[in-house]
Amino acid sequence: MLFAPPGCLSGDGQLREVFEERIRGQEPAGRDLWFVSSDQFCEQLRDALTQRGLRPTGPLELLISSEPHLLVWLQVRFGGELLEHVALPGGFQDLAASLPPAAAPVGLEVR
Protein backbone atom coordinates (compact mmCIF):
# COMPACT_ATOMS: atom_id res chain seq x y z
CA MET A 1 0.00 0.00 0.00
CA LEU A 2 1.22 3.47 -0.88
CA PHE A 3 -0.43 6.41 0.86
CA ALA A 4 -0.10 10.18 0.73
CA PRO A 5 -2.05 13.37 1.38
CA PRO A 6 -4.70 14.20 -1.25
CA GLY A 7 -3.22 15.34 -4.54
CA CYS A 8 0.30 14.06 -3.87
CA LEU A 9 -0.24 10.91 -5.92
CA SER A 10 -2.99 12.01 -8.28
CA GLY A 11 -2.74 15.79 -8.51
CA ASP A 12 -1.40 16.23 -12.04
CA GLY A 13 -3.25 13.45 -13.91
CA GLN A 14 -0.14 11.34 -14.55
CA LEU A 15 -1.33 8.58 -12.20
CA ARG A 16 -4.51 8.24 -14.26
CA GLU A 17 -2.35 7.80 -17.37
CA VAL A 18 -0.46 4.99 -15.60
CA PHE A 19 -3.78 3.28 -14.79
CA GLU A 20 -5.05 3.65 -18.36
CA GLU A 21 -1.85 2.17 -19.79
CA ARG A 22 -2.03 -0.79 -17.40
CA ILE A 23 -5.73 -1.38 -18.11
CA ARG A 24 -5.12 -1.41 -21.87
CA GLY A 25 -2.53 -4.17 -21.46
CA GLN A 26 -4.52 -6.48 -19.15
CA GLU A 27 -7.51 -8.74 -19.13
CA PRO A 28 -10.39 -7.20 -17.13
CA ALA A 29 -10.07 -9.82 -14.37
CA GLY A 30 -6.31 -9.24 -14.10
CA ARG A 31 -6.42 -5.88 -12.40
CA ASP A 32 -3.55 -5.55 -9.92
CA LEU A 33 -3.62 -1.84 -9.00
CA TRP A 34 -6.32 0.09 -7.16
CA PHE A 35 -6.68 3.78 -6.28
CA VAL A 36 -8.64 5.01 -3.26
CA SER A 37 -9.32 8.74 -3.30
CA SER A 38 -9.48 10.82 -0.14
CA ASP A 39 -13.28 10.87 -0.58
CA GLN A 40 -13.36 7.05 -0.63
CA PHE A 41 -10.98 6.66 2.33
CA CYS A 42 -13.05 5.10 5.11
CA GLU A 43 -12.76 3.98 8.71
CA GLN A 44 -11.91 0.39 7.73
CA LEU A 45 -8.88 1.59 5.77
CA ARG A 46 -7.94 3.99 8.56
CA ASP A 47 -8.12 1.04 10.97
CA ALA A 48 -5.83 -1.02 8.71
CA LEU A 49 -3.22 1.77 8.95
CA THR A 50 -3.75 2.17 12.69
CA GLN A 51 -3.09 -1.54 13.19
CA ARG A 52 0.33 -0.94 11.61
CA GLY A 53 1.09 1.74 14.21
CA LEU A 54 0.19 4.76 12.09
CA ARG A 55 -2.20 7.44 13.27
CA PRO A 56 -3.55 9.15 10.15
CA THR A 57 -5.05 12.47 11.19
CA GLY A 58 -6.30 13.79 7.86
CA PRO A 59 -7.61 12.51 4.57
CA LEU A 60 -5.36 10.26 2.50
CA GLU A 61 -5.30 8.77 -0.96
CA LEU A 62 -4.07 5.22 -1.40
CA LEU A 63 -2.61 2.96 -4.05
CA ILE A 64 -3.06 -0.74 -3.38
CA SER A 65 -1.39 -3.54 -5.30
CA SER A 66 -0.45 -7.17 -4.89
CA GLU A 67 2.79 -6.35 -6.75
CA PRO A 68 5.35 -4.83 -4.31
CA HIS A 69 7.75 -3.80 -7.11
CA LEU A 70 4.95 -1.80 -8.74
CA LEU A 71 4.32 0.15 -5.52
CA VAL A 72 8.04 0.86 -5.11
CA TRP A 73 8.18 2.21 -8.68
CA LEU A 74 5.10 4.38 -8.05
CA GLN A 75 6.60 5.68 -4.80
CA VAL A 76 9.77 6.71 -6.63
CA ARG A 77 7.69 8.39 -9.33
CA PHE A 78 5.01 10.11 -7.19
CA GLY A 79 6.19 10.06 -3.56
CA GLY A 80 4.16 8.96 -0.57
CA GLU A 81 4.76 6.42 2.18
CA LEU A 82 5.02 2.71 1.47
CA LEU A 83 3.60 -0.01 3.73
CA GLU A 84 3.92 -3.71 3.05
CA HIS A 85 1.69 -6.53 4.28
CA VAL A 86 -1.32 -4.46 5.31
CA ALA A 87 -4.42 -6.50 6.11
CA LEU A 88 -7.16 -4.87 4.07
CA PRO A 89 -10.88 -5.04 4.81
CA GLY A 90 -12.96 -7.30 2.62
CA GLY A 91 -14.47 -5.51 -0.33
CA PHE A 92 -11.81 -2.82 -0.56
CA GLN A 93 -11.99 -3.22 -4.35
CA ASP A 94 -15.49 -1.74 -4.20
CA LEU A 95 -14.06 1.34 -2.48
CA ALA A 96 -11.37 1.58 -5.13
CA ALA A 97 -13.61 1.26 -8.16
CA SER A 98 -12.72 4.58 -9.77
CA LEU A 99 -9.72 5.79 -11.71
CA PRO A 100 -7.55 8.61 -10.38
CA PRO A 101 -8.63 12.06 -11.55
CA ALA A 102 -7.62 13.32 -14.96
CA ALA A 103 -5.41 16.36 -15.34
CA ALA A 104 -7.15 19.70 -15.11
CA PRO A 105 -7.70 21.33 -18.50
CA VAL A 106 -5.06 23.87 -19.38
CA GLY A 107 -6.15 27.06 -21.08
CA LEU A 108 -4.04 27.52 -24.17
CA GLU A 109 -4.06 30.69 -26.18
CA VAL A 110 -3.15 30.72 -29.85
CA ARG A 111 -1.39 33.85 -31.02
Short mmCIF file of all heavy atoms in Angstrom, two decimals, residues 35-84:
data_model
loop_
_atom_site.label_atom_id
_atom_site.label_comp_id
_atom_site.label_asym_id
_atom_site.label_seq_id
_atom_site.Cartn_x
_atom_site.Cartn_y
_atom_site.Cartn_z
N PHE A 35 -6.82 2.43 -6.83
CA PHE A 35 -6.68 3.78 -6.28
C PHE A 35 -7.87 4.06 -5.37
O PHE A 35 -9.02 3.80 -5.74
CB PHE A 35 -6.66 4.80 -7.42
CG PHE A 35 -6.68 6.24 -6.95
CD1 PHE A 35 -5.56 6.82 -6.41
CD2 PHE A 35 -7.84 6.99 -7.06
CE1 PHE A 35 -5.57 8.13 -5.98
CE2 PHE A 35 -7.87 8.30 -6.64
CZ PHE A 35 -6.73 8.87 -6.09
N VAL A 36 -7.59 4.58 -4.18
CA VAL A 36 -8.64 5.01 -3.26
C VAL A 36 -8.44 6.50 -3.03
O VAL A 36 -7.42 6.93 -2.50
CB VAL A 36 -8.56 4.25 -1.91
CG1 VAL A 36 -9.64 4.74 -0.95
CG2 VAL A 36 -8.67 2.75 -2.13
N SER A 37 -9.42 7.29 -3.46
CA SER A 37 -9.32 8.74 -3.30
C SER A 37 -9.56 9.12 -1.84
O SER A 37 -10.05 8.32 -1.04
CB SER A 37 -10.35 9.45 -4.19
OG SER A 37 -11.65 9.25 -3.68
N SER A 38 -9.25 10.36 -1.51
CA SER A 38 -9.48 10.82 -0.14
C SER A 38 -10.97 10.79 0.20
O SER A 38 -11.34 10.60 1.36
CB SER A 38 -8.90 12.22 0.06
OG SER A 38 -9.48 13.13 -0.84
N ASP A 39 -11.83 10.94 -0.81
CA ASP A 39 -13.28 10.87 -0.58
C ASP A 39 -13.73 9.44 -0.28
O ASP A 39 -14.73 9.23 0.39
CB ASP A 39 -14.05 11.38 -1.79
CG ASP A 39 -13.82 12.86 -2.04
OD1 ASP A 39 -13.45 13.59 -1.09
OD2 ASP A 39 -13.99 13.29 -3.19
N GLN A 40 -13.00 8.46 -0.82
CA GLN A 40 -13.36 7.05 -0.63
C GLN A 40 -12.69 6.45 0.61
O GLN A 40 -13.04 5.36 1.02
CB GLN A 40 -12.94 6.24 -1.86
CG GLN A 40 -13.67 6.65 -3.12
CD GLN A 40 -12.97 6.12 -4.36
OE1 GLN A 40 -11.76 6.18 -4.47
NE2 GLN A 40 -13.76 5.61 -5.28
N PHE A 41 -11.71 7.16 1.16
CA PHE A 41 -10.98 6.66 2.33
C PHE A 41 -11.96 6.54 3.50
O PHE A 41 -12.66 7.48 3.82
CB PHE A 41 -9.84 7.64 2.67
CG PHE A 41 -8.90 7.13 3.70
CD1 PHE A 41 -7.98 6.16 3.39
CD2 PHE A 41 -8.93 7.61 4.99
CE1 PHE A 41 -7.09 5.67 4.33
CE2 PHE A 41 -8.06 7.15 5.95
CZ PHE A 41 -7.13 6.18 5.61
N CYS A 42 -12.03 5.36 4.09
CA CYS A 42 -13.05 5.10 5.11
C CYS A 42 -12.41 4.60 6.40
O CYS A 42 -11.20 4.38 6.47
CB CYS A 42 -14.05 4.08 4.58
SG CYS A 42 -13.31 2.46 4.28
N GLU A 43 -13.24 4.42 7.40
CA GLU A 43 -12.76 3.98 8.71
C GLU A 43 -12.07 2.63 8.65
O GLU A 43 -11.09 2.40 9.35
CB GLU A 43 -13.90 3.95 9.73
CG GLU A 43 -14.33 5.32 10.20
CD GLU A 43 -13.18 6.14 10.77
OE1 GLU A 43 -12.42 5.63 11.61
OE2 GLU A 43 -13.02 7.30 10.35
N GLN A 44 -12.56 1.70 7.81
CA GLN A 44 -11.91 0.39 7.73
C GLN A 44 -10.48 0.52 7.24
O GLN A 44 -9.58 -0.17 7.73
CB GLN A 44 -12.68 -0.58 6.81
CG GLN A 44 -14.04 -0.92 7.35
CD GLN A 44 -15.12 -0.38 6.43
OE1 GLN A 44 -14.96 0.63 5.75
NE2 GLN A 44 -16.24 -1.07 6.39
N LEU A 45 -10.24 1.39 6.26
CA LEU A 45 -8.88 1.59 5.77
C LEU A 45 -8.04 2.34 6.80
O LEU A 45 -6.87 2.03 6.99
CB LEU A 45 -8.90 2.33 4.44
CG LEU A 45 -9.47 1.53 3.27
CD1 LEU A 45 -9.64 2.42 2.05
CD2 LEU A 45 -8.60 0.33 2.94
N ARG A 46 -8.64 3.29 7.49
CA ARG A 46 -7.94 3.99 8.56
C ARG A 46 -7.54 3.00 9.65
O ARG A 46 -6.42 3.03 10.18
CB ARG A 46 -8.81 5.11 9.14
CG ARG A 46 -8.08 5.99 10.14
CD ARG A 46 -8.94 7.17 10.58
NE ARG A 46 -9.40 7.99 9.47
CZ ARG A 46 -8.66 8.90 8.83
NH1 ARG A 46 -7.41 9.09 9.18
NH2 ARG A 46 -9.16 9.61 7.85
N ASP A 47 -8.43 2.06 9.97
CA ASP A 47 -8.12 1.04 10.97
C ASP A 47 -6.97 0.14 10.53
O ASP A 47 -6.13 -0.25 11.34
CB ASP A 47 -9.36 0.17 11.27
CG ASP A 47 -10.44 0.94 12.02
OD1 ASP A 47 -10.14 2.03 12.56
OD2 ASP A 47 -11.58 0.45 12.05
N ALA A 48 -6.92 -0.19 9.23
CA ALA A 48 -5.83 -1.02 8.71
C ALA A 48 -4.49 -0.31 8.91
O ALA A 48 -3.49 -0.95 9.27
CB ALA A 48 -6.06 -1.34 7.24
N LEU A 49 -4.45 1.01 8.72
CA LEU A 49 -3.22 1.77 8.95
C LEU A 49 -2.91 1.87 10.44
O LEU A 49 -1.75 1.76 10.84
CB LEU A 49 -3.33 3.16 8.32
CG LEU A 49 -3.40 3.22 6.81
CD1 LEU A 49 -3.62 4.65 6.34
CD2 LEU A 49 -2.16 2.64 6.18
N THR A 50 -3.94 2.06 11.25
CA THR A 50 -3.75 2.17 12.69
C THR A 50 -3.18 0.87 13.26
O THR A 50 -2.32 0.90 14.15
CB THR A 50 -5.08 2.53 13.38
OG1 THR A 50 -5.54 3.77 12.83
CG2 THR A 50 -4.91 2.67 14.87
N GLN A 51 -3.62 -0.26 12.73
CA GLN A 51 -3.09 -1.54 13.19
C GLN A 51 -1.60 -1.68 12.90
O GLN A 51 -0.92 -2.47 13.53
CB GLN A 51 -3.86 -2.70 12.56
CG GLN A 51 -5.26 -2.84 13.09
CD GLN A 51 -6.06 -3.89 12.36
OE1 GLN A 51 -5.56 -4.56 11.46
NE2 GLN A 51 -7.31 -4.04 12.74
N ARG A 52 -1.10 -0.93 11.93
CA ARG A 52 0.33 -0.94 11.61
C ARG A 52 1.09 0.12 12.40
O ARG A 52 2.26 0.38 12.14
CB ARG A 52 0.53 -0.71 10.11
CG ARG A 52 0.07 -1.83 9.22
CD ARG A 52 0.86 -3.12 9.45
NE ARG A 52 2.30 -2.95 9.30
CZ ARG A 52 2.95 -3.12 8.18
NH1 ARG A 52 2.33 -3.48 7.09
NH2 ARG A 52 4.25 -2.92 8.15
N GLY A 53 0.42 0.77 13.37
CA GLY A 53 1.09 1.74 14.21
C GLY A 53 1.04 3.16 13.71
O GLY A 53 1.64 4.05 14.30
N LEU A 54 0.32 3.40 12.62
CA LEU A 54 0.19 4.76 12.09
C LEU A 54 -1.07 5.41 12.64
O LEU A 54 -2.06 4.74 12.90
CB LEU A 54 0.14 4.73 10.57
CG LEU A 54 1.37 4.14 9.91
CD1 LEU A 54 1.12 3.93 8.44
CD2 LEU A 54 2.56 5.07 10.10
N ARG A 55 -1.03 6.69 12.79
CA ARG A 55 -2.20 7.44 13.27
C ARG A 55 -2.55 8.52 12.27
O ARG A 55 -2.24 9.69 12.46
CB ARG A 55 -1.90 8.08 14.63
CG ARG A 55 -1.50 7.12 15.71
CD ARG A 55 -2.73 6.41 16.28
NE ARG A 55 -2.37 5.56 17.39
CZ ARG A 55 -2.38 4.24 17.33
NH1 ARG A 55 -2.69 3.63 16.21
NH2 ARG A 55 -2.06 3.51 18.37
N PRO A 56 -3.20 8.12 11.15
CA PRO A 56 -3.55 9.15 10.15
C PRO A 56 -4.53 10.16 10.73
O PRO A 56 -5.54 9.78 11.32
CB PRO A 56 -4.17 8.35 9.01
CG PRO A 56 -4.44 6.99 9.53
CD PRO A 56 -3.64 6.80 10.78
N THR A 57 -4.20 11.43 10.61
CA THR A 57 -5.05 12.47 11.19
C THR A 57 -5.91 13.18 10.16
O THR A 57 -6.89 13.80 10.50
CB THR A 57 -4.19 13.52 11.91
OG1 THR A 57 -3.25 14.05 10.98
CG2 THR A 57 -3.46 12.90 13.09
N GLY A 58 -5.54 13.11 8.90
CA GLY A 58 -6.30 13.79 7.86
C GLY A 58 -6.65 12.83 6.75
O GLY A 58 -6.36 11.64 6.82
N PRO A 59 -7.27 13.36 5.71
CA PRO A 59 -7.61 12.51 4.57
C PRO A 59 -6.35 12.02 3.86
O PRO A 59 -5.31 12.69 3.89
CB PRO A 59 -8.44 13.42 3.67
CG PRO A 59 -8.12 14.80 4.10
CD PRO A 59 -7.67 14.74 5.52
N LEU A 60 -6.46 10.86 3.24
CA LEU A 60 -5.36 10.26 2.50
C LEU A 60 -5.88 9.71 1.19
O LEU A 60 -7.06 9.40 1.06
CB LEU A 60 -4.73 9.11 3.28
CG LEU A 60 -4.05 9.44 4.60
CD1 LEU A 60 -3.70 8.16 5.33
CD2 LEU A 60 -2.80 10.27 4.36
N GLU A 61 -5.00 9.56 0.22
CA GLU A 61 -5.30 8.77 -0.96
C GLU A 61 -4.35 7.59 -0.96
O GLU A 61 -3.23 7.68 -0.45
CB GLU A 61 -5.22 9.59 -2.24
CG GLU A 61 -3.93 10.29 -2.49
CD GLU A 61 -3.98 11.19 -3.72
OE1 GLU A 61 -5.08 11.51 -4.22
OE2 GLU A 61 -2.90 11.58 -4.19
N LEU A 62 -4.82 6.46 -1.47
CA LEU A 62 -4.07 5.22 -1.40
C LEU A 62 -3.91 4.58 -2.77
O LEU A 62 -4.80 4.68 -3.61
CB LEU A 62 -4.80 4.20 -0.52
CG LEU A 62 -5.21 4.58 0.88
CD1 LEU A 62 -6.07 3.48 1.48
CD2 LEU A 62 -4.01 4.83 1.74
N LEU A 63 -2.80 3.88 -2.94
CA LEU A 63 -2.61 2.96 -4.05
C LEU A 63 -2.40 1.59 -3.43
O LEU A 63 -1.59 1.44 -2.51
CB LEU A 63 -1.39 3.34 -4.89
CG LEU A 63 -1.55 4.57 -5.75
CD1 LEU A 63 -0.22 4.92 -6.40
CD2 LEU A 63 -2.60 4.34 -6.81
N ILE A 64 -3.13 0.62 -3.92
CA ILE A 64 -3.06 -0.74 -3.38
C ILE A 64 -2.72 -1.68 -4.53
O ILE A 64 -3.31 -1.57 -5.61
CB ILE A 64 -4.41 -1.12 -2.74
CG1 ILE A 64 -4.75 -0.15 -1.61
CG2 ILE A 64 -4.37 -2.57 -2.24
CD1 ILE A 64 -6.17 -0.24 -1.10
N SER A 65 -1.76 -2.57 -4.28
CA SER A 65 -1.39 -3.54 -5.30
C SER A 65 -0.87 -4.80 -4.64
O SER A 65 -0.32 -4.76 -3.54
CB SER A 65 -0.31 -2.96 -6.21
OG SER A 65 0.09 -3.92 -7.17
N SER A 66 -1.03 -5.90 -5.34
CA SER A 66 -0.45 -7.17 -4.89
C SER A 66 0.98 -7.31 -5.39
O SER A 66 1.65 -8.29 -5.09
CB SER A 66 -1.31 -8.34 -5.38
OG SER A 66 -1.38 -8.29 -6.80
N GLU A 67 1.45 -6.33 -6.17
CA GLU A 67 2.79 -6.35 -6.75
C GLU A 67 3.68 -5.34 -6.03
O GLU A 67 3.64 -4.14 -6.33
CB GLU A 67 2.72 -6.00 -8.24
CG GLU A 67 1.82 -6.90 -9.06
CD GLU A 67 2.41 -8.29 -9.22
OE1 GLU A 67 3.64 -8.44 -9.14
OE2 GLU A 67 1.62 -9.22 -9.43
N PRO A 68 4.52 -5.79 -5.07
CA PRO A 68 5.35 -4.83 -4.31
C PRO A 68 6.27 -3.99 -5.19
O PRO A 68 6.45 -2.79 -4.94
CB PRO A 68 6.17 -5.72 -3.38
CG PRO A 68 5.44 -7.01 -3.32
CD PRO A 68 4.69 -7.16 -4.61
N HIS A 69 6.85 -4.57 -6.25
CA HIS A 69 7.75 -3.80 -7.11
C HIS A 69 7.03 -2.66 -7.81
O HIS A 69 7.59 -1.60 -8.06
CB HIS A 69 8.45 -4.70 -8.12
CG HIS A 69 7.53 -5.31 -9.12
ND1 HIS A 69 6.75 -6.40 -8.85
CD2 HIS A 69 7.24 -4.93 -10.40
CE1 HIS A 69 6.01 -6.69 -9.92
NE2 HIS A 69 6.29 -5.82 -10.87
N LEU A 70 5.75 -2.85 -8.11
CA LEU A 70 4.95 -1.80 -8.74
C LEU A 70 4.77 -0.63 -7.78
O LEU A 70 4.91 0.54 -8.17
CB LEU A 70 3.59 -2.36 -9.16
CG LEU A 70 2.58 -1.38 -9.72
CD1 LEU A 70 3.13 -0.67 -10.95
CD2 LEU A 70 1.28 -2.10 -10.04
N LEU A 71 4.49 -0.92 -6.50
CA LEU A 71 4.32 0.15 -5.52
C LEU A 71 5.63 0.91 -5.28
O LEU A 71 5.62 2.12 -5.12
CB LEU A 71 3.79 -0.42 -4.20
CG LEU A 71 2.34 -0.91 -4.25
CD1 LEU A 71 1.96 -1.58 -2.94
CD2 LEU A 71 1.39 0.22 -4.57
N VAL A 72 6.75 0.19 -5.28
CA VAL A 72 8.04 0.86 -5.11
C VAL A 72 8.28 1.81 -6.29
O VAL A 72 8.69 2.97 -6.10
CB VAL A 72 9.18 -0.17 -4.98
CG1 VAL A 72 10.54 0.52 -5.07
CG2 VAL A 72 9.05 -0.93 -3.67
N TRP A 73 8.01 1.36 -7.51
CA TRP A 73 8.18 2.21 -8.68
C TRP A 73 7.28 3.44 -8.60
O TRP A 73 7.71 4.57 -8.89
CB TRP A 73 7.89 1.40 -9.95
CG TRP A 73 7.94 2.22 -11.20
CD1 TRP A 73 9.06 2.70 -11.82
CD2 TRP A 73 6.82 2.67 -11.96
NE1 TRP A 73 8.70 3.42 -12.94
CE2 TRP A 73 7.33 3.42 -13.05
CE3 TRP A 73 5.45 2.52 -11.84
CZ2 TRP A 73 6.52 4.00 -14.00
CZ3 TRP A 73 4.64 3.11 -12.80
CH2 TRP A 73 5.17 3.84 -13.85
N LEU A 74 6.03 3.25 -8.17
CA LEU A 74 5.10 4.38 -8.05
C LEU A 74 5.53 5.33 -6.95
O LEU A 74 5.36 6.54 -7.06
CB LEU A 74 3.68 3.87 -7.83
CG LEU A 74 3.06 3.17 -9.04
CD1 LEU A 74 1.79 2.44 -8.65
CD2 LEU A 74 2.80 4.16 -10.16
N GLN A 75 6.11 4.81 -5.87
CA GLN A 75 6.60 5.68 -4.80
C GLN A 75 7.76 6.54 -5.32
O GLN A 75 7.81 7.74 -5.04
CB GLN A 75 7.06 4.86 -3.61
CG GLN A 75 7.57 5.74 -2.47
CD GLN A 75 8.20 4.95 -1.35
OE1 GLN A 75 8.76 3.88 -1.57
NE2 GLN A 75 8.11 5.48 -0.14
N VAL A 76 8.66 5.95 -6.07
CA VAL A 76 9.77 6.71 -6.63
C VAL A 76 9.24 7.79 -7.58
O VAL A 76 9.71 8.92 -7.58
CB VAL A 76 10.76 5.77 -7.36
CG1 VAL A 76 11.77 6.55 -8.18
CG2 VAL A 76 11.46 4.87 -6.35
N ARG A 77 8.23 7.45 -8.33
CA ARG A 77 7.69 8.39 -9.33
C ARG A 77 6.84 9.50 -8.72
O ARG A 77 6.93 10.66 -9.12
CB ARG A 77 6.86 7.61 -10.35
CG ARG A 77 6.37 8.47 -11.48
CD ARG A 77 5.93 7.68 -12.65
NE ARG A 77 5.43 8.57 -13.67
CZ ARG A 77 4.75 8.18 -14.71
NH1 ARG A 77 4.51 6.90 -14.90
NH2 ARG A 77 4.31 9.04 -15.60
N PHE A 78 5.99 9.15 -7.71
CA PHE A 78 5.01 10.11 -7.19
C PHE A 78 5.23 10.52 -5.74
O PHE A 78 4.62 11.48 -5.29
CB PHE A 78 3.59 9.54 -7.33
CG PHE A 78 3.18 9.31 -8.75
CD1 PHE A 78 3.06 8.03 -9.26
CD2 PHE A 78 2.91 10.38 -9.60
CE1 PHE A 78 2.68 7.81 -10.57
CE2 PHE A 78 2.54 10.17 -10.91
CZ PHE A 78 2.43 8.88 -11.40
N GLY A 79 6.01 9.76 -4.98
CA GLY A 79 6.19 10.06 -3.56
C GLY A 79 5.23 9.24 -2.72
O GLY A 79 4.67 8.25 -3.16
N GLY A 80 5.04 9.67 -1.49
CA GLY A 80 4.16 8.96 -0.57
C GLY A 80 4.92 8.01 0.34
O GLY A 80 6.15 7.90 0.26
N GLU A 81 4.20 7.36 1.21
CA GLU A 81 4.76 6.42 2.18
C GLU A 81 4.34 5.02 1.80
O GLU A 81 3.17 4.77 1.50
CB GLU A 81 4.27 6.74 3.59
CG GLU A 81 4.68 8.10 4.09
CD GLU A 81 6.16 8.20 4.34
OE1 GLU A 81 6.78 7.20 4.77
OE2 GLU A 81 6.73 9.29 4.10
N LEU A 82 5.27 4.08 1.87
CA LEU A 82 5.02 2.71 1.47
C LEU A 82 4.86 1.83 2.70
O LEU A 82 5.64 1.91 3.64
CB LEU A 82 6.19 2.21 0.63
CG LEU A 82 6.07 0.86 -0.03
CD1 LEU A 82 4.92 0.83 -1.02
CD2 LEU A 82 7.36 0.52 -0.75
N LEU A 83 3.82 1.01 2.68
CA LEU A 83 3.60 -0.01 3.73
C LEU A 83 3.42 -1.35 3.06
O LEU A 83 2.68 -1.46 2.08
CB LEU A 83 2.32 0.29 4.52
CG LEU A 83 2.39 1.32 5.62
CD1 LEU A 83 1.01 1.48 6.25
CD2 LEU A 83 3.39 0.95 6.67
N GLU A 84 4.07 -2.36 3.59
CA GLU A 84 3.92 -3.71 3.05
C GLU A 84 3.09 -4.54 4.02
O GLU A 84 3.07 -4.28 5.22
CB GLU A 84 5.28 -4.36 2.84
CG GLU A 84 6.09 -3.68 1.76
CD GLU A 84 7.40 -4.40 1.50
OE1 GLU A 84 7.38 -5.64 1.45
OE2 GLU A 84 8.40 -3.71 1.36
#
